[in-house]
Each structure stands twice: as structure tokens, then as C-alpha cells.
Amino acid sequence: MEIATKGQLRWAFLRWAVVTVPLIILLGFASSQFAPSGDRSLWYRELAKPALNPPSWVFPIAWAALYVMMGLALAMILNARGSRYRGLAIGLFALQMVLNIAWTPVFFGAHLVLAGLLIIVAMFAVALITTFIFGRIRTAAAWLMVPYLAWLCFAGCLNFGVLQLNPDAEALVPSSSSTQMTI
């Protein structure tokens, strides 16, 4: 049985990263195509927003950086072939990505602000468990997930603020699923 050198391990990680980073970015971008988001959404522009709401240009930059870090974390886990927690970690990561992808169409497309908040809470819980499992496999992978957890807390606060300021948000304008959907 041969043991891989540090160089071979580094190359194996880079091969995974070349796949995972673009994949996670693509999935995030695809989610934003299900419904107009941010300033592209007439409904969102009309909402009252909490004081801590940043300018719209912050969101794509923040999400791009987060998706890169998440992709790198996933690559580290995929590269850890001997770990007994690897399968669980990958499954949890996939589950939190499904929730991540679901949020935009629910919040921006269907205008379901409360459902969006519940998705963020579930996403945070699964991402937190994922982070702990990642930490059992590769500490660096867990640390790469920490900014995502912080952003989810911030996003949850924003979502909650929108819910508080707009109790009638669903009725504000016609649903984007019938009038603003892009293909």
C-alpha cells in the first residue's frame, strides 16, 4: 500500500476544487434565475426594508465569496477519502445547498416572507451541523463555512425585518411567478 505525498494530496484537492467551486457558484447563480431578485424585483423594491439592509450590489459580491469558500470546503471533504464522516458531511452539505437554492424562488418568486425565514432557519441549522461534521474531518473546511453561517444569521435578520415591516408582503404586487418569471 502506497501513501500519497503532500504534493499528490494537494493536486487531488485542487482537482476537486476545480469542480466544486464553479459548481457551487453555478448552483447559486441558477437559484437567482428562478425569480427576479434584489433591485430586479418590482415587489422587493416596493417593500419597506430594515435599516441594516445593505445596498443591492453587496449581495452578489458576498454570495460569490461565500460560494467560493463553500466550494473549497466541500473539495477538502471530498478529498478526505478515508474519513468515516465523509458521506454524512457530503449529504448534509447537499441538503443545506437544496435549502439555499430554494430560498430565492420562495422569497422573491412566491413572495412568501415567513416561509423564506423558515428556510433560512433550517438552512442555518443544517449548515451548522455540516460545519461541525466538517470540523471532525478537516478543521480548515469547517472554518471556511463560518462566514456562511455568519451571513445566514445576517440574512435571517434581514428576512425577519422585512417580515415585521411588511405583514402584507404577499399581496404587495402580483406574484412574480405569473408576471416576472424569467427563463
Side-chain angles (χ1 to χ4, degrees):
M1 174 154 104
E2 285 185 38
I3 296 178
T5 67
K6 286 185 181 185
Q8 290 170 322
L9 292 174
R10 198 169 306 125
W11 277 110
F13 162 72
L14 289 174
R15 281 193 303 271
W16 278 116
V18 164
V19 173
T20 59
V21 171
L23 176 64
I24 300 303
I25 292 170
L26 180 64
L27 289 172
F29 174 75
S31 170
S32 71
Q33 299 308 301
F34 291 127
S37 59
D39 284 342
R40 296 180 340 186
S41 168
L42 172 63
W43 171 77
Y44 185 73
R45 286 194 310 256
E46 297 297 319
L47 291 175
K49 293 173 200 69
L52 57 106
N53 195 64
S56 290
W57 60 265
V58 169
F59 293 97
I61 293 169
W63 277 113
L66 292 169
Y67 287 142
V68 167
M69 288 185 277
M70 291 166 62
L72 291 172
L74 180 60
M76 288 179 186
I77 299 309
L78 290 168
N79 197 41
R81 282 182 259 182
S83 172
R84 69 178 198 193
Y85 297 112
R86 183 176 178 248
L88 175 63
I90 294 166
L92 287 168
F93 185 89
L95 176 59
Q96 69 80 31
M97 275 308 295
V98 167
L99 292 167
N100 182 302
I101 291 166
W103 185 84
T104 298
V106 168
F107 183 88
F108 285 107
H111 306 164
L112 299 174
V113 180
L114 177 59
L117 181 59
L118 295 174
I119 289 172
I120 289 177
V121 169
M123 189 184 338
F124 177 82
V126 176
L128 181 63
I129 295 166
T130 302
T131 302
F132 282 119
I133 300 298
F134 275 20
R136 308 269 254 138
I137 301 167
R138 296 276 188 268
T139 304
W143 280 110
L144 283 167
M145 293 290 288
V146 171
Y148 178 54
L149 294 171
W151 184 262
L152 289 176
C153 289
F154 179 65
C157 290
L158 289 177
N159 197 145
F160 180 76
V162 168
L163 180 63
Q164 293 299 109
L165 294 170
N166 304 277
D168 62 340
E170 287 179 48
L172 190 59
V173 293
S175 172
S176 68
S177 63
S178 64
T179 60
Q180 296 180 347
M181 190 72 155
T182 58
I183 297 179

